[in-house]
Amino acid sequence: MDTDLIWQRIDEQRLELAGLIETLTPEQLATPSLCDAWTVRDVAVHLTHSHTSPARAMIAACRYGFRFNTMIRELALRDDTTADQAASKLRAMVGSRRHPIGTTPMAPLLDSLLHGQDIAVPLGLDRPMPTDAATACADYLWSTGFPFHARRRNEGRRYVATDSDFAAGTGAVVEAPIRDIVMLFGGRTNAAGALAPST
């Protein structure tokens, strides 16, 4: 995917997620998400953090001893933004080309796809992933180490998407929809479907 198309997909995802978040009841917002220790509301708030200024991000990194997973988790938990405010912020981000310091535009694309599932799956909602975006994210996850280490964690298997032009790895063949592959590579092992080698 070229950069313009990546940002187009990010904008589409942000608009869709804003619309979804606004429909959720207080009970749904309080539902545990697929992210450990985060509710659906926390995930919604986290999605707005990709516009955190570099200065604020550096201050937070120092505060949490450069333990980035801890920093990201705590920032979402401590943010008192409401779900409606998060939806408004997501809409305001449409058209922006900002992404977290030290990352590429693939980071907010992956965030929108994975966290959309983190919200939808526990609520029993089907949220399709755009095939081109999901395929690009699967490639990105496979070729990138920190923080997911998809290649290392899935050594000895070859993943082949049944609904897109994606294949990676060597070994026992696992065929699955691209959404399930992205979920698995992104660490959502309990929600990635039954990804077993083909017999």
Side-chain angles (χ1 to χ4, degrees), residues 1 3-16 109 112-113 130-133:
M1 294 178 73
T3 301
D4 287 342
L5 184 54
I6 290 172
W7 282 114
Q8 179 183 329
R9 293 289 181 262
I10 292 168
D11 287 345
E12 291 167 354
Q13 291 297 303
R14 284 171 172 168
L15 287 172
E16 290 178 12
L109 179 64
S112 65
L113 294 189
T131 302
D132 57 355

Side-chain angles (χ1 to χ4, degrees), residues 119-144:
I119 290 171
V121 171
L123 299 179
L125 304 175
D126 181 39
R127 180 170 170 74
M129 288 185 186
T131 302
D132 57 355
T135 302
C137 284
D139 282 324
Y140 174 75
L141 285 164
W142 189 257
S143 62
T144 304

Side-chain angles (χ1 to χ4, degrees), residues 56-102:
R56 183 181 176 195
M58 185 57 66
I59 291 170
C62 292
R63 179 183 303 150
Y64 293 103
F66 292 91
R67 293 171 295 146
F68 290 101
N69 288 337
T70 299
M71 177 189 79
I72 290 167
R73 183 178 65 250
E74 290 299 314
L75 288 177
L77 291 173
R78 296 172 186 275
D79 191 327
D80 60 3
T81 299
T82 67
D84 284 344
Q85 289 170 338
S88 294
K89 288 182 178 182
L90 282 173
R91 284 200 175 90
M93 291 161 66
V94 171
S96 168
R97 297 298 177 257
R98 289 176 58 187
H99 51 83
I101 186 171

